[in-house]
Amino acid sequence: MSRKIIVILGPTASGKSALAVKIAKKINGEIISADSRQVYKGLNIGTGKITKKEMSGIPHHCLDIVSPKKIFTVSDFKKRAEEALEKIFSKNKTPIIVGGTGLYIQAVVDGILLPEVRPNWKLRKELEKKTTEEMFAILKKLDPERAKTIDAKNPHRLIRAIEIAKTLGKVPNLGVELPSWETLQIWIKLDYEKLRKKINDRLASDLKKGMVIEAEKLRQYGLPWKRMDGLGLEYRYLAKFLKGEISKKEMIEKLKIEIWNYAKRQITWFKRDKRIKWVKNYKESEKLIIKFLK
């Protein structure tokens, strides 16, 4: 059997997971999640993680594989995803990578060789004293290209990006090891107003499902406030709310803005790759996939 991979991309709340399950049933596939926060155990509601019921019996890989207390890198993901790919190929099934974390997907699809940069603890201690605005300004000077796509309010990612840039001069042109598979990348196209509504609707649904209780449980588990902040988006503002720094209403309004900004960054990242095929619905994606697999 030829080694072919389907990649389903899209911004947060665009319906990637549901589409992937439907396609997996059609083509005898298994799914690999490419989401930088869904790898963590206990981060379920806030990350929009697919439930067992929603999986409909389709095996999913790279979900719930590490404690949120630990740092999981792109290199870690590449290793785990490639192990999952080989496992799926060995069963004569088709891997379907699903997610919105651009660098995770690119690392696997293009066989990117990632730089090994060890933690610089002295630099990290210096940077931890600075605000995210100050760190973003430093990164912008060191590597303007990386600054365009990074979450400017995520201290962990800013520190790591500055660390790499200072060690290597800038975030380098990464080496490539040609992968032993072909890929078809599909992007779920939604107009901005529809996407924004889906984001706001999912946020409202997540709050009803118990997103605040989930954050409280993470605290009981021993997750520090600083780590919750570093996990970004929902968990950053849930932490601020639980600490009494903002009201629930403020938290919701902030999240609507920040999740929307995140979605726009995802769109910017993937728009650069001209290999990606844009689809409006399942029918269009199925047609492309069947042709690709043949």
Side-chain angles (χ1 to χ4, degrees):
M1 186 177 178
S2 59
R3 292 161 67 86
K4 293 186 176 183
I5 299 172
I6 309 300
V7 183
I8 298 175
L9 311 160
T12 186
S14 60
K16 300 182 295 294
S17 297
L19 177 62
V21 168
K22 201 171 180 181
I23 289 168
K25 288 180 176 179
K26 178 78 178 179
I27 65 171
N28 190 28
E30 293 191 10
I31 292 168
I32 299 172
S33 170
D35 186 293
S36 62
R37 298 187 306 158
Q38 290 186 7
V39 296
Y40 294 112
K41 298 171 184 175
L43 273 63
N44 303 322
I45 300 170
T47 64
K49 193 181 290 176
I50 191 168
T51 64
K52 286 287 182 187
K53 185 180 178 182
E54 290 165 342
M55 288 179 189
S56 297
I58 300 295
H60 281 61
H61 306 263
C62 296
L63 289 172
D64 299 321
I65 54 178
V66 68
S67 162
K69 292 178 182 178
K70 295 182 179 178
I71 303 297
F72 192 82
T73 67
V74 182
S75 297
D76 293 328
F77 173 76
K78 185 171 185 282
K79 182 183 176 186
R80 296 294 286 267
E82 288 178 350
E83 287 171 357
L85 283 170
E86 294 303 334
K87 187 176 178 181
I88 297 166
F89 282 134
S90 72
K91 299 185 213 175
N92 284 333
K93 289 189 174 186
T94 302
I96 303 167
I97 299 176
V98 184
T101 303
L103 195 51
Y104 273 27
I105 292 162
Q106 195 180 358
V108 176
V109 167
D110 294 327
I112 289 175
L113 299 172
L114 297 152
E116 291 295 331
V117 175
R118 292 182 178 278
N120 182 333
W121 299 111
K122 185 180 177 184
L123 175 64
R124 287 187 178 194
K125 282 182 181 178
E126 290 173 7
L127 291 172
E128 282 171 1
K129 296 172 186 173
K130 299 183 182 296
T131 63
T132 51
E133 289 80 8
E134 288 169 332
M135 286 193 281
F136 182 70
I138 293 168
L139 179 63
K140 208 169 179 181
K141 283 184 181 178
L142 289 169
D143 191 349
E145 286 305 307
R146 180 69 183 105
K148 286 178 186 177
T149 58
I150 201 165
D151 177 357
K153 294 185 178 178
N154 189 318
H156 168 67
R157 291 192 181 178
L158 287 166
I159 289 170
R160 182 58 179 162
I162 292 168
E163 191 173 57
I164 291 171
K166 280 187 171 284
T167 304
L168 302 174
K170 64 173 184 176
V171 175
N173 291 321
L174 304 173
V176 171
E177 182 179 54
L178 290 176
S180 62
W181 45 72
E182 294 177 69
T183 56
L184 170 66
Q185 298 184 74
I186 291 172
W187 174 270
I188 300 172
K189 189 176 184 181
L190 288 174
D191 71 57
Y192 274 26
E193 285 310 307
K194 280 184 182 176
L195 178 60
R196 194 160 201 163
K197 185 179 185 305
K198 282 173 79 77
I199 286 169
N200 291 344
D201 287 349
R202 191 170 83 177
L203 177 60
S205 173
D206 288 347
L207 286 163
K208 285 179 183 176
K209 287 177 187 173
M211 191 166 71
V212 174
I213 294 168
E214 178 174 276
E216 289 172 339
K217 284 181 180 176
L218 288 168
R219 281 291 298 159
Q220 289 166 13
Y221 169 67
L223 199 64
W225 293 122
K226 192 172 181 180
R227 179 59 180 146
M228 286 184 74
D229 184 66
L231 288 166
L233 291 177
E234 294 83 0
Y235 299 97
R236 175 178 301 140
Y237 290 98
L238 283 163
K240 288 179 184 292
F241 168 64
L242 292 175
K243 285 192 285 183
E245 294 176 1
I246 56 174
S247 67
K248 192 170 184 178
K249 185 180 178 182
E250 286 173 316
M251 175 187 77
I252 292 167
E253 290 309 308
K254 288 277 189 185
L255 278 174
K256 284 179 180 178
I257 294 166
E258 291 304 323
I259 297 169
W260 175 239
N261 286 339
Y262 173 60
K264 288 193 290 183
R265 288 197 301 274
Q266 289 177 302
I267 292 166
T268 299
W269 175 283
F270 290 113
K271 266 188 174 178
R272 300 177 304 176
D273 193 335
K274 302 305 177 188
R275 299 169 298 178
I276 296 171
K277 309 292 183 186
W278 292 59
V279 299
K280 293 178 184 175
N281 51 43
Y282 171 75
K283 193 174 179 181
E284 282 188 13
S285 61
E286 184 188 300
K287 190 177 176 181
L288 280 172
I289 289 165
I290 298 300
K291 186 180 177 182
F292 171 70
L293 292 178
K294 283 182 179 177

